[in-house]
Amino acid sequence: MYSLPEKIENLVPYEPCSGEYRIRLDANESFLPPDFSLYSDALKSVSLNRYPDSTAEKLCESFAKFYGIDARFVTASNGSDEMLFILANCFLSRGDKVLTLSPDFSMYDFYASLAECNLYSMPKREDMSIDVDAVIKELNSSNYRMLIFSNPCNPTSLGLAREDVRRIINSTDALVVLDEAYMDFWDESLIEEAQNYDNLIILRTCSKMMGMAALRVGFAVANDKITAAVRSVKSPYNVNSLSQAAAAAVLTHGDMLRSNLKKIISSRDWLYENMKEICENKGISLSKPATNFIFFKPKNAANVFEGLKAKGILIRKMGDYLRITAGSPEENKEVIAAAALLL
Ligand code: PMP
């Protein structure tokens, strides 16, 4: 009789929220999809009978140009999620020590466990900030092979200054996987200097600021040696041709993307200011967000979550905390009006 491998026998799958909701503010997507006219011609030129370009050359070049970096340090993936899977399964061996911080994006622990690593998830401070000295001390206390964290962080929406991140990378021989999925909303990226480190890999995505979550396009940026290794272990046709063509075309419209970024930031600021006012009156603290979402601990997260759901508004509940993505101005107004009655 066939029995499942022990490591996946009791695995709980990642379950994104499903169902029909009028307003979706649960997945940190952009509320501004790129206009179809910007990529329709690119789609027309795709030959569906042919395999995709395994190097996703045009896509990597468009991405590199948008950020002012060299495409030779860039590898495309099927969402940054696939890159996390590749890193955990190909850059780690069973039993290797991996450090993550808690709370952080849950897939880090998931993939590290799947790769049968020896995982330590180090708690953040009470206020959710990262104690950089403690992280460095932990890295140096044992033979860690990898550190993975998001900056700015999902779910806390807090960012770490560039200099602190550099300090962490320089303090260790472990591979630092720096997930900058939300860095477009802040400005402390190390993307321009990724190639200068021998132990850094930066992850980026088209799913957040760029409004292309449906395409599943992510990127890794690292020095030549790490890039060559990533390219050699990834599956050959990991990013499909339609996604490559559409994302490459959209990425050439830098002005549109920067204009959308401004709109998302002003939506985020409006949501933050208005929620802060409600929270202050109820004695709830709310930190300034460095991403496109807010994160806070109300008195009764379950009530607020269910109350919003009953009004057709989906947000994310994480234990005693709530995470709300900045939506369109109308969506934000609705969520604020409903939250004022529920909080
Ligand atoms: N990293 C972080 C921090 C995220 O929040 C997400 C998406 N929720 C991802 C990576 C995965 O993004 P992608 O759509 O590129 O797979």
Side-chain angles (χ1 to χ4, degrees), residues 31 39-42 55-56 61 90 108 133-134 157 187 198-199 210 225 275 277 303 315 322 332 343:
F31 60 95
Y39 58 91
S40 54
D41 283 349
T55 62
E61 270 169 13
C90 304
Y108 307 152
D133 290 325
S157 202
D187 195 14
D198 76 348
N199 62 333
M210 295 180 189
K225 181 175 148 190
M275 193 63 85
E277 207 176 307
N303 273 3
I315 61 166
L322 295 178
N332 289 343
L343 276 169

Side-chain angles (χ1 to χ4, degrees), residues 14 27-28 77-84 104-105 107-108 149-155 179-182 203-208 212-213 216-219 293 316 323:
Y14 179 80
N28 304 337
S77 57
N78 187 13
S80 48
D81 197 59
E82 187 208 15
M83 195 54 76
L84 288 168
D104 207 334
F105 185 42
M107 297 310 285
Y108 307 152
F149 68 104
S150 57
N151 189 38
C153 171
N154 171 19
D179 184 350
E180 293 192 342
Y182 300 92
L203 306 187
R204 303 290 292 234
T205 179
C206 289
S207 303
K208 308 301 175 185
M212 297 187 274
R216 311 301 303 121
V217 172
F219 300 92
F293 54 85
R316 186 79 194 267
R323 194 190 69 192

Side-chain angles (χ1 to χ4, degrees), residues 96-303:
D96 275 355
K97 289 204 76 173
V98 176
L99 183 63
T100 59
L101 310 177
S102 178
D104 207 334
F105 185 42
S106 61
M107 297 310 285
Y108 307 152
D109 289 8
F110 180 84
Y111 286 137
S113 305
L114 210 52
E116 298 181 274
C117 294
N118 183 357
L119 175 72
Y120 174 47
S121 195
M122 186 179 179
K124 293 184 181 174
R125 293 192 185 103
E126 186 75 25
D127 66 359
M128 298 287 169
S129 61
I130 295 170
D131 183 340
V132 174
D133 290 325
V135 171
I136 292 173
K137 199 167 157 207
E138 180 59 33
L139 283 168
N140 291 325
S141 73
S142 188
N143 190 22
Y144 278 102
R145 291 288 291 157
M146 188 180 281
L147 163 71
I148 317 177
F149 68 104
S150 57
N151 189 38
C153 171
N154 171 19
T156 68
S157 202
L158 300 179
L160 205 54
R162 214 180 254 117
E163 200 39 52
D164 281 331
V165 182
R166 287 190 188 115
R167 214 149 60 80
I168 292 174
I169 304 164
N170 287 326
S171 76
T172 179
D173 290 332
L175 178 65
V176 177
V177 181
L178 175 61
D179 184 350
E180 293 192 342
Y182 300 92
M183 189 51 88
D184 295 302
F185 303 111
W186 204 37
D187 195 14
E188 295 286 332
S189 180
L190 293 191
I191 195 167
E192 289 173 17
E193 58 195 78
Q195 73 278 6
N196 299 341
Y197 299 85
D198 76 348
N199 62 333
L200 174 65
I201 182 158
I202 294 181
L203 306 187
R204 303 290 292 234
T205 179
C206 289
S207 303
K208 308 301 175 185
M209 179 280 275
M210 295 180 189
M212 297 187 274
L215 295 182
R216 311 301 303 121
V217 172
F219 300 92
V221 186
N223 68 27
D224 285 317
K225 181 175 148 190
I226 295 173
T227 298
V230 171
R231 288 179 184 172
S232 66
V233 296
K234 79 172 187 67
S235 71
Y237 307 118
N238 58 332
V239 185
N240 75 74
S241 302
L242 294 168
S243 293
Q244 286 192 32
V250 170
L251 275 160
T252 62
H253 294 275
D255 288 346
M256 178 280 296
L257 290 170
R258 280 181 286 272
S259 149
N260 282 358
L261 171 61
K262 271 192 194 153
K263 289 178 195 160
I264 300 169
I265 286 181
S266 67
S267 149
R268 186 271 316 271
D269 289 345
W270 190 92
L271 182 67
Y272 165 66
E273 295 296 341
N274 283 272
M275 193 63 85
K276 193 168 153 222
E277 207 176 307
I278 301 171
C279 285
E280 271 171 2
N281 290 333
K282 315 266 178 188
I284 303 162
S285 71
L286 179 58
S287 306
K288 197 167 166 42
T291 64
N292 64 332
F293 54 85
I294 57 172
F295 184 69
F296 60 104
K297 188 181 179 183
K299 300 270 151 60
N300 191 338
N303 273 3

